[in-house]
Structure formats: structure tokens, C-alpha cells
Amino acid sequence: MSKQATSTVATTCWECSTCCGALATLVDGRVTEIAPNTAHPGSAGMFCVKGFRGMTGVTEAPGRLLHPMRRVGPRGGGQWRQISWDAALDEMAERLAALRASHGPLAIAGATSGGYFSRSVIHALLLRSLGSPNWMINQDLCGGCRGVSDMVTGLAIANGEDVDGARSVLVVGANPQLANPVQWQRLKLAKKRGARIVVIDPMSTATTELADLWLQPRVGTDAALALAMINVVIGENLHDRAFVERWCTGFEALAARAAQWPVARAAAITAVAPESIAQAARIYADGPATFVSGHGIDAAVGGVQAFRAFHCLLAITGNLDRPGGNRRIKRPAGFRNYTDLLHDPAFRLPPEVEALRIGAREYPLWAGVDGWQKACHNPAVIDAILTSRPYPVRALYVSGVNIAVTYPDTARTIEAFKALDFLAVATHSMNPTAAWADLVLPKTTTLEEEEVSLQPGAPCLSFTAAVVPPRGTARSELAIAADLLDRLEARGAVTQRFMPWRSEREFSRYLVGDSAIDFTALVRDGFARFTYETGNFEAVGFKTPSGRVELSSSRMAAAGLDPLPDLVLPQEAATDAAFPLLLQTGLREKAYHHSRFRDQDWARRISPDPILRLHPQSAAQHQVAAGDWVRVRTPRSDGACEARVALTERVPPGIAVTGMGWWRPDGAAPHYGALEVNINAVLSYAGPYDTASGSPNSRGLACSIEKIESSAVPGQ
Ligand SMILES: Nc1nc2c(c(=O)[nH]1)N[C@H]1C(S)=C(S)[C@@H](COP(=O)(O)OP(=O)(O)OC[C@H]3O[C@@H](n4cnc5c(=O)[nH]c(N)nc54)[C@H](O)[C@@H]3O)O[C@H]1N2
Ligand SMILES: Nc1nc2c(c(=O)[nH]1)N[C@H]1C(S)=C(S)[C@@H](COP(=O)(O)OP(=O)(O)OC[C@H]3O[C@@H](n4cnc5c(=O)[nH]c(N)nc54)[C@H](O)[C@@H]3O)O[C@H]1N2
Ligand code: SF4
Ligand SMILES: [Mo]
């Protein structure tokens, strides 16, 4: 018997943004086990099924795309021919160069998931190299409201919560039990050691069960709670006067705005008892307190204002950048985080070109020259493809995002695909987005690509190792971009090469730079700690026009928006008798990350069908029972989405709660179920939008349900 070669490689799981430290065991070059890295300062040994099964599941999937594919026949016709990388990249360069010459660089756009990933930043730099500022990220749907509020208030915390050091924890619109096992564990430990936990959520969850105090507001009314809490804090003199005087501007104005929100008014709007609001304020003010926020108050009209209200509460109670509060993001001296490159003048197009980014005029804090991540307003790009307004967009390169499933209004996204002159999609496997491409490029997975990332919460740097060589001919974003840029340069189609690196290792070394981080140790351990000082406001100031925390935001005012936080209702209520329920989308499922893992047996066993959760009372009213299939519709779209009813008293009567990301890998091309079981098929991307971030509402929408026969269900 030959001796087997066994080794263990430290890496990071990127199957969700928790970024747990992981250890991959290899036997004869094959990954046999993925386990948590207990030494990792961020995840401290926590992990989940997506890490255990998902990373290898995606990498080794039988349906994995191993070679570039070229469309044969009509777009979306499901006919493909395998081609070489040389042929694929030559064709892509040729098509992009031609469209750039005929329509200008602005006619070329890109879509990727978000600034979280280095590969997304590489994608942005590729587009900028072509001269195009038109880069779409999905963060208008994820964390963007938080990001814009954080930026204009000047906190620079992202989330930065220090649950371990907190005396009280305020959880708003987050359910870490499903979404973030590391945070969930930390919350449970905090509870055990006596920290008080306040949770704001319209629905009962495992997290609300952990709470000492649960506030159950009406959907989309959180800003009223936060303003009333500010009013209690100021009225009872519980704020941190020293911090406010030294580091904040606009306190008087904030106090005046909050004074408009006595608890009784907030109670009437939110349906939370006035004494509970006051109690929540007192608990939070008795810090150090940390603010744990989630998707429940993001991705909605009024999301930025809701976050502003909580961020102001955080600042006036002095919970900024102190142990047990919310830490500001810090980096080791000399280290560059890849997200920094988006803002670094050395990697920027001229301001007059950036000002032409789609959405820059309407949403300057999002898409403008000084916008949050300098990304487009996505629905406006879809419109530009379909209407040529404000100017034509003719080519799209989509990479590492499944926008046919994860953007609202699936039918319109698909119409846009059809209207393009050229669509390239980089992906691991065929999906409802890639199905419409002219060229499909096979991408490396998290087990096959390298990355150095900053984990501000830990705080540490994390290393993601290329644990195994790419399967087939899969390539990383960086490798694709480098080779494509060579070809574009040869065709005179490059404005300036903003992506000079030739390998992921070269890029990693560039990021680590001349910092004191020991690169070899970082690679060996999978992480590197760095010294972290809190409260050093003198040394590291606030990135606002005033150099202070702006409770009244001059940047909001300059954008023509309310400088003070206020309640902005989602503007949608179930008043139409034909659409009597309120729809909540995006409930997290343990086995899936949005549209990922849908082809994996382990995940389908855990969660075989899309589920619509109803209170038993609502089910009785609509004459449906547990296990029935229903079709969901909204007045905002012609689409429909099928799901299976589950009954639970966790959901209040009148509300229908579902997940997202459903499609059927074994369904018929080109939709693969994206128009049948995908909740975004019934959502609209046509507004209303948050006035600062441009986010649409992904919950709180009027909907109807209609029972359908199971024979109508595809795949049954
Ligand atoms: N297993 C798994 N984990 C994931 C993901 C996944 O797909 N699967 N996705 C990851 C990603 S990208 C994200 S963004 C995170 C999101 O994870 P979280 O930030 O935890 O957000 P959600 O789970 O969407 O929603 C949290 C809670 O918000 C509540 N909520 C809904 N509307 C409101 C409201 O108006 N006010 C308040 N206060 N609460 C409201 C919901 O009832 C829900 O309990 O999860 C990450 N983790
Ligand atoms: N209606 C509604 N819509 C929503 C939401 C909602 O709550 N309701 N939630 C929103 C949120 S929070 C988010 S984050 C978005 C998510 O939207 P997406 O980013 O589209 O979500 P995913 O399905 O996780 O990832 C899409 C693709 O990423 C690629 N990918 C995955 N892992 C890797 C990897 O390790 N390496 C590489 N190179 N590529 C990889 C795969 O090609 C995969 O198909 O959806 C948003 N859409
Ligand atoms: S929570 Fe799960 S999917 Fe997310 S990084 Fe950790 S192990 Fe991976
Ligand atoms: Mo997200």
C-alpha cells in the first residue's frame, strides 16, 4: 500500500461574510475535510454547515463549469460550445473594444457582488481600466444603507461590534442564529455572563428568545423607536456629555428633532409599548453597549435614516470605539485593504468621468464621485440597457453574482440581458444569469483562490489559501482580468491600467505592503493579529467635512437631504383588498447562501422547498394549510413565485415571510426556475428608493397568495 500524503492548510471560509477561520485537510492533494480553525481570533472555532459542506460542494460539484463556453444559436437557447481560454478572451476583448470604439467606455458595465470580496474590487479596477465607472454591486440590497449612514455620520465602524466586552447589546433587524454563527455564539456567551440584551424585530426568532427585552415594532418603523430612545437618553441626561462636546456636531439640532418623538408618539406608530421604548433606552445608555444591526433595517426606503438614528444614539452615548461598544475600522500601518483601492486616487478615473456614473446625479452619496463604494444605481443601469437613457449601455460583464435571481424584478433583468450587444458571465456553474450570456467563463472557488482581507471586528488580517489547484481550466477574477487587459491594450481599448498585478500572490503582497505583518506567518496561520487601539480620536480623526461625528450631517444636507435622522416609512401598506398580506423576503436559510448551493444534495435535504411562513390565523383566513403550495403575487409586478406554506406563531398575523435565492439547477434552461420559485420575480426594482442609497424595498410589500395544485409545481 502506498503511503498517503496528508497535510493541513489554514484558510478562510468565504461562503458568507462571517469569514470563519478554517482548516482544510488534504490527502494526496484532495480535500478530505474542512474544519474550524479554533485559533482564529474572529471566529474562535465557530463554523456552520455551509463551511463544512459548501466549500467542497461547490468545488467538486458534478455540474461545475470547467471550460469557457460560447453560445451557439440564439441567446438563452441553452446551446453551448466549449472553447479555449485564448479564444474566449480574444473574443471578449474584440467585442468590448469594438463597443468601446462605437459607443464609448461608458457603454460597458460590470456587475459583481460587493466590496467585501477582493475579486469584486479587481472587477471594478478592470472596468476602470477600460475607462468605465459603471460598476454594479448588490449592496443597495445588502448593507448599503448602513454603509451610507456610517459614512455621512463619520463613525467608520461598518459594524465593529464588541459583544464580548459589552454590558448591554442592542440587536436591531438581525438574526445571528441563522445568519452568523460567530455572533450568535458571542451573544449567548454575553447573555450567560449577565449582559442585557435588547432585540428589535417584528418577528419572533431564536434571537428574540434570548432577549431580556424584545421590542416588536411594525415593519419599517425602527427610526421612530431610535429617535424616541434618543429623546429619553437626552431627557434623562444619560448621554456622554464629554464625548458629545469634544467630538460631535449638531447635538442641539438632534435633540430638537428627537424632542418631536416622545415615546407616546413612537408607540403609536410602532405598536411598541411606551415603557418598553424607555426601558430599551435606559439599558442601552447603561453601557458599554454594542449595536448589532442587520439586514432587517437595511435595503429599504428609509434605511439610511433608520441607521442614522441608531448611529446617532450610539455616538451620543459614547459607545463609539471603546471596549464593549462599536469599534472603528483600523488597519495595521502600511497595510492596504482592497476596498481602500476603490477610493485611492491612484486607482481612480478623472472626476469628470466618475461624475457620469449611472446614478451619480440622483444618488451622489452612493454613486457620486465621493459616494460610498462608487458603484452605480443598479436599476438605473438596467433602464439604461433597455432605454439608452441617460446613455446606452451595450455590454455587461457579470462575475460572482447571480443577478437574475438576486436583483428584484427578474423578468426585467432578463429583458435587459436580451437587449445587450454583449454579455459575459463568470461563474462556477450554469445558472439563470449565465444562461443568457454570449460567453461563460469558469471561475475558481474559495478553495482555489487566494485572498488577504481585513477583518476589522476580530481584529485581524485573514488569509484565504488556494488550497487546491483550480479544477478544469477555472481561473480567478484576477487572472481573467490580467489576460483580458493585455488583449484590450493590444486593441488600444485601455484608458489606464489600474490592475497591474499578474498573480493573486503579487496582489496579496501589494496589500500587505511594508506593514509589520509577517507574510509567511499570515499564510501559515491563516490570520495575523495586529495591535489595535480604541478611542484614539486625536490621532485618527473623523472623515467628515467637520472632522467630527456629524449628528446633523453636512453631507446629507449638501445632497439636498434631511441632515437629521427621521422616520421614513416604506410607503407600502396592505390597503388594497386584492393584496391583503405584507410580504417579507430574505429570511436566511441554514443550508443556503442566497442562490448558492442550490445544486447540492446536502443542502436540498436540509431545505428542499421554498417556504412561505404564515401565522395560523392568516392561513385560516386565506384557506391554506401547512404544506400547501401557493402562488405569491404583488401589485408591482406581473411575476409570480411559488412556495410551500409553513405555519408558525413566530410571524405576526397579516405577514407572509419567505426566503430568497431560489432557482432550480435541474429545471429547464434558460430560467432554471428563476421565474417560478424566485421571490425576486414578484418584486419591483422601479422604486420607491431610499433617497440617499437608492435602495429599494425588499420587504413590507403588499402581496396576495393563491393556493395552487401541486401538479402545477415544476419538477414534481
Ligand atoms: N445561512 C445563511 N447565512 C447568511 C446568509 C444566507 O443567505 N444564509 N446571508 C448573509 C448575508 S449576505 C447577509 S446580508 C446576512 C443577513 O443577516 P441578518 O443581518 O441577520 O438579517 P436577516 O436574517 O435578513 O433579517 C434579520 C431579522 O430582521 C427582521 N426584520 C424584518 N423587517 C424588519 C424591520 O422592519 N425592523 C426590524 N427591526 N427588523 C426587521 C426579520 O424578522 C429577521 O428576523 O446574513 C448572512 N448570513
Ligand atoms: N428579494 C430579496 N433580494 C435580495 C435579498 C433579500 O433579502 N430579498 N438579499 C440581498 C442580499 S443581502 C445579498 S448579499 C444579495 C446576494 O446576491 P448574490 O451575490 O448574487 O448571491 P450569491 O447567490 O451568494 O452569490 C452569487 C454567485 O457568487 C459566486 N460565488 C460564490 N462563492 C464564490 C467564491 O468563493 N469565489 C468566486 N469567485 N465566486 C463565488 C457564484 O458564482 C454564485 O453564483 O442578494 C440580495 N437580494
Ligand atoms: S458562518 Fe459558515 S458559511 Fe459563513 S464563513 Fe463561517 S463556516 Fe463559512
Ligand atoms: Mo447580504
XYZ file of all heavy atoms in Angstrom, residues 198 213-216 225 229 232 263 267 271-283:
171
model
N -31.221 43.574 24.291
C -32.465 44.147 23.774
C -32.522 43.812 22.288
O -31.545 44.023 21.569
C -32.486 45.684 23.952
C -33.774 46.277 23.387
C -32.306 46.069 25.416
N -35.207 42.012 26.710
C -36.304 42.881 26.313
C -36.452 42.780 24.798
O -35.496 43.003 24.053
C -35.983 44.329 26.722
C -37.000 45.390 26.332
C -38.336 45.177 27.047
C -36.457 46.791 26.656
N -37.647 42.421 24.364
C -37.905 42.304 22.917
C -38.906 43.366 22.517
O -40.014 43.405 23.046
C -38.428 40.901 22.588
C -38.969 40.754 21.184
C -38.584 41.436 20.069
C -40.012 39.872 20.763
N -39.305 41.031 18.973
C -40.201 40.065 19.362
C -40.801 38.919 21.413
C -41.137 39.363 18.618
C -41.741 38.216 20.662
C -41.900 38.426 19.279
N -38.507 44.232 21.621
C -39.414 45.229 21.063
C -39.881 44.710 19.713
O -39.053 44.376 18.859
C -38.679 46.568 20.874
C -38.632 47.540 22.068
C -38.262 46.862 23.366
C -37.679 48.699 21.782
N -41.193 44.638 19.549
C -41.742 44.058 18.316
C -42.471 45.151 17.524
O -43.690 45.292 17.617
C -42.701 42.907 18.669
C -43.162 42.127 17.462
C -44.105 40.980 17.824
O -44.657 40.925 18.914
N -44.284 40.071 16.877
N -38.496 54.342 16.865
C -38.008 53.801 18.145
C -36.683 54.457 18.519
O -36.475 54.886 19.653
C -37.790 52.287 18.034
C -39.031 51.402 17.917
C -38.609 49.938 17.796
C -39.931 51.598 19.134
N -35.803 56.777 21.641
C -34.744 56.371 22.580
C -33.752 57.524 22.789
O -33.317 57.797 23.911
C -34.033 55.106 22.072
C -34.878 53.835 22.231
S -34.204 52.412 21.327
C -32.824 51.958 22.377
N -35.314 59.962 25.135
C -35.262 59.519 26.537
C -33.844 59.744 27.089
O -33.663 60.283 28.180
C -35.652 58.022 26.656
C -35.375 57.481 28.055
C -37.116 57.819 26.266
N -42.018 59.156 23.608
C -42.277 57.717 23.472
C -43.721 57.425 23.051
O -43.975 56.468 22.325
C -41.909 56.922 24.751
C -40.404 56.816 24.917
C -42.561 57.506 25.973
N -44.699 55.062 20.111
C -45.503 53.873 20.444
C -46.694 53.753 19.501
O -47.022 52.656 19.032
C -45.961 53.951 21.900
N -46.303 50.458 17.513
C -47.062 49.465 18.283
C -46.221 48.823 19.385
O -46.553 47.757 19.891
C -47.664 48.385 17.373
N -45.145 49.490 19.769
C -44.351 49.025 20.918
C -44.770 49.850 22.139
O -44.954 51.071 22.015
C -42.834 49.230 20.660
C -42.010 48.849 21.887
C -42.384 48.416 19.449
N -44.892 49.213 23.282
C -45.347 49.919 24.483
C -44.366 51.029 24.850
O -43.151 50.828 24.792
C -45.470 48.948 25.654
N -44.893 52.231 25.239
C -44.001 53.360 25.549
C -42.973 53.020 26.623
O -41.803 53.398 26.520
C -44.948 54.471 26.027
C -46.328 53.941 25.946
C -46.316 52.575 25.363
N -43.407 52.265 27.657
C -42.431 51.982 28.729
C -41.308 51.056 28.236
O -40.167 51.135 28.710
C -43.051 51.477 30.031
C -44.161 50.460 30.062
C -45.468 50.778 29.352
O -45.756 51.918 28.890
O -46.218 49.816 29.244
N -41.628 50.205 27.239
C -40.565 49.334 26.689
C -39.528 50.164 25.936
O -38.330 49.875 25.985
C -41.155 48.300 25.735
O -42.077 47.496 26.405
N -39.986 51.195 25.238
C -39.046 52.051 24.499
C -38.118 52.750 25.494
O -36.887 52.772 25.320
C -39.794 53.101 23.639
C -40.782 52.403 22.681
C -38.809 53.957 22.860
C -41.664 53.354 21.864
N -38.716 53.283 26.555
C -37.911 53.991 27.559
C -36.931 53.026 28.221
O -35.753 53.355 28.435
C -38.825 54.636 28.600
N -37.410 51.827 28.505
C -36.550 50.831 29.154
C -35.378 50.458 28.234
O -34.234 50.344 28.690
C -37.395 49.598 29.467
C -36.823 48.726 30.560
C -37.606 47.406 30.661
O -38.734 47.299 30.143
N -37.017 46.419 31.313
N -35.663 50.301 26.944
C -34.601 49.966 25.990
C -33.548 51.071 25.980
O -32.338 50.804 25.957
C -35.193 49.788 24.591
N -34.008 52.328 26.024
C -33.076 53.459 26.019
C -32.198 53.426 27.260
O -30.980 53.634 27.185
C -33.856 54.765 25.955
N -32.784 53.127 28.389
C -32.012 53.126 29.650
C -31.009 51.982 29.658
O -29.874 52.151 30.108
C -32.960 53.028 30.850
C -33.755 54.294 31.039
C -34.739 54.235 32.195
N -35.711 55.310 32.028
C -37.030 55.143 32.000
N -37.562 53.941 32.177
N -37.819 56.179 31.839
N -31.437 50.839 29.187
C -30.498 49.702 29.155
C -29.320 50.025 28.241
O -28.171 49.826 28.586
C -31.209 48.406 28.684
C -32.258 47.965 29.700
C -30.186 47.287 28.441
C -33.090 46.755 29.267
